[in-house]
Amino acid sequence: MTTALLTACAGAREPSAPAAGGGSGGLTIAVSSFQACLDVALSGGRNSTVTHQILDTLTDQDPKTGEIVPRLAEKWEVNDEFTEFTFHLRKGVTFSDGTPLDAQVVADNFTKLAELITLAKSDTLVLNALNSFQSAEAVDPSTVRLTFKLPELGFLRNASDPYLAILSQATLAKTPEQRCAGELVGTGPFVFDKIVKDKSIVLKRRDDYNWSAAGVAGHQGAAYLPSVTFEAVPESSVRVGGLTSGQFDISDDIPVTDLAQLRDAGQTIVSKVVPNLVPGMRPNPYSPLGSDDAVRRAVQKGIDRAEITGTLYPEIYQTPSSIVSSTTAGWKDFGTDLAYDPEGAKKLLDEAGWVAGADGVRAKDGVRLAPKITYIVGNFFGATQQELELVQQQLGRIGIAVEIKANTPADNAAMLKDISKADYDFLTGSGASKDIDFLAGLFKKSNAALLNAEQPELEAKADALNEAATPEARTAAAQELQHYTIEHGHWIPLREQTKVVAVSPAVSGYLLDTYAAHFLYDTKLAG
């Protein structure tokens, strides 16, 4: 009763010496900050790209086609119901502590992730990927079977994301706090060498690594670079200046305003649209304005996304065409539904009884149409102050007086503990994933950002995606959920998120992977 079988490329070869031609020194990358937790399964937020280098996953994705390809699993079978996934593991793979990869440690990884979900310690992405996980079983030393209660048509793609990477038995025994601090042992081409909290992380090459994914990686054997140092450099001007002076080999999170300067200085610009829930705004279902369908729909129509992109991001960045980016598997173009339509917005508000006052601001039953929109200071992955200031101007033209509220990450976390008592109408953010399945978890009432708010039609759309039993049903449900959330303003996109990196001409073989994270295995640095 097998519907899918994928056979691996050639198995692991004899370990080879590090390839020549990579230069003698290590690579230095300037990043804007480090995430608080280095374990992406516990907190898969920004700059988890550092941890990507020490981990391997069961599957991978071809960077050109998006096809699922083997990595730690050399082949797999999926039953007709998409509830049972049987993975056959590569031979000869070891963790960096010398222990072997086998079916039992893979099974224990998923059992541990399920435990972390129960304890509310896992990242949202893990919760979404394993929301119907039932069991993991070592069938034999090299075969593991994962069973789910519901069809999981996106699981093979989810299994290529680092938050489902396979960790050693010793790591599974660590506390969440130890794992967050970087006590992680994986099977990847690099290992943690030195961690200075919030300042720098040094990785060193694993010389016995020899199981890279063919079709993704450009060679077999050890990585070319002997070491990689990530340095936290919050000021973008310092990241840019350090690259041109030779202090850094790669600088991350480059502002658009610095692109021309860097190109003129001979640096290479590498960019990639991040597969995700695009940066935008989610209404508070407990606030009078956030729960008002006419207000949400008017806000959706009253935002000129082309103006935001053209004014703040005149090159590289794209105007969103759905609630997910165009690189997310399952995306559909709803650009027409997101077109700027101020007259349509005004009509909606007129029909709903929102009348403009003497100052031009609309009101209804004594309530001014002045929604409070929050953003996290310094967080480019949600919405920025500059974007919201443009939104404020645009919505002001249709009688909506936006109040912008700046939050620290701590303020935001505290606010999300009970949104029914929080003083906001729209919350800005985004969400990372390569597959459309993650939308179901984001729009079900069990999500903390919805706090069990009763929105039956939205819940039904999310359930349809979550429970889709065939590829055709899944595609239809994903498209319907995207359309419904756009039509009713349950997510209000502002821009597509694009990763922009500047690279020294001394660096070769560098790219951003399908997750828009640094892919350093094939990278070389001229000596």
Side-chain angles (χ1 to χ4, degrees), residues 14-21 205-210 219-224 521:
E14 288 299 313
S16 57
R205 175 175 60 205
R206 214 189 138 180
D207 289 342
D208 62 343
Y209 182 82
N210 200 44
H219 76 286
Q220 283 286 340
Y224 295 128
Y521 173 67

Side-chain angles (χ1 to χ4, degrees), residues 113-133:
L113 286 172
E115 177 186 325
L116 292 170
I117 291 172
T118 301
L119 297 173
K121 295 290 187 180
S122 68
D123 185 78
T124 302
L125 295 172
V126 174
L127 173 62
N128 290 344
L130 300 182
N131 72 91
S132 74
F133 174 78

Side-chain angles (χ1 to χ4, degrees), residues 170-417:
T171 301
L172 299 182
K174 301 288 185 182
T175 65
E177 292 74 20
Q178 289 172 317
R179 290 172 60 160
C180 277
E183 295 186 37
L184 305 169
V185 175
T187 64
F190 294 93
V191 298
F192 284 130
D193 187 32
K194 184 178 181 180
I195 299 173
V196 180
K197 185 174 175 58
D198 298 328
K199 292 185 177 180
S200 65
I201 297 176
V202 180
L203 309 179
K204 65 179 180 181
R205 175 175 60 205
R206 214 189 138 180
D207 289 342
D208 62 343
Y209 182 82
N210 200 44
W211 40 85
S212 60
V216 176
H219 76 286
Q220 283 286 340
Y224 295 128
L225 295 167
S227 66
V228 179
T229 299
F230 292 86
E231 293 188 12
V233 184
E235 302 83 5
S236 61
S237 60
V238 179
R239 294 197 302 276
V240 170
L243 182 68
T244 56
S245 70
Q247 180 183 358
F248 309 127
D249 303 300
I250 296 174
S251 285
D252 212 340
D253 296 332
I254 298 298
V256 172
T257 52
D258 292 317
L259 294 180
Q261 172 192 342
L262 288 166
R263 288 196 185 99
D264 291 345
Q267 313 301 317
T268 301
I269 304 300
V270 179
S271 66
K272 192 175 189 67
V273 175
V274 180
N276 70 349
L277 177 75
V278 301
M281 306 189 304
R282 183 202 287 271
N284 182 346
Y286 289 96
S287 82
L289 299 183
S291 61
D292 189 312
D293 184 69
V295 170
R296 295 195 309 265
R297 293 168 67 194
V299 168
Q300 191 80 283
K301 289 179 177 292
I303 293 177
D304 187 345
R305 296 162 183 85
E307 183 183 28
I308 293 173
T309 304
T311 302
L312 300 177
Y313 313 108
E315 55 176 316
I316 294 180
Y317 296 83
Q318 301 177 27
T319 301
S321 53
S322 181
I323 63 171
V324 296
S325 71
S326 56
T327 57
T328 303
W331 161 86
K332 181 176 172 58
D333 187 347
F334 289 100
T336 302
D337 298 84
L338 290 171
Y340 181 45
D341 182 13
E343 294 307 313
K346 291 177 184 178
K347 183 180 179 183
L348 281 168
L349 294 173
D350 289 341
E351 292 174 348
W354 290 97
V355 180
D359 61 356
V361 179
R362 293 173 182 266
K364 178 182 179 181
D365 300 329
V367 177
R368 276 168 55 86
L369 188 46
K372 296 176 181 178
I373 302 178
T374 69
Y375 75 99
I376 301 175
V377 177
N379 183 359
F380 184 74
F381 292 78
T384 66
Q385 179 182 346
Q386 292 77 15
E387 290 165 359
L388 292 180
E389 286 172 349
L390 271 177
V391 168
Q392 186 180 51
Q393 295 172 25
Q394 293 167 356
L395 295 182
R397 299 168 198 155
I398 61 173
I400 300 177
V402 168
E403 178 183 340
I404 301 172
K405 297 181 63 179
N407 276 350
T408 66
D411 291 335
N412 207 61
M415 184 178 70
L416 284 173
K417 288 183 178 178

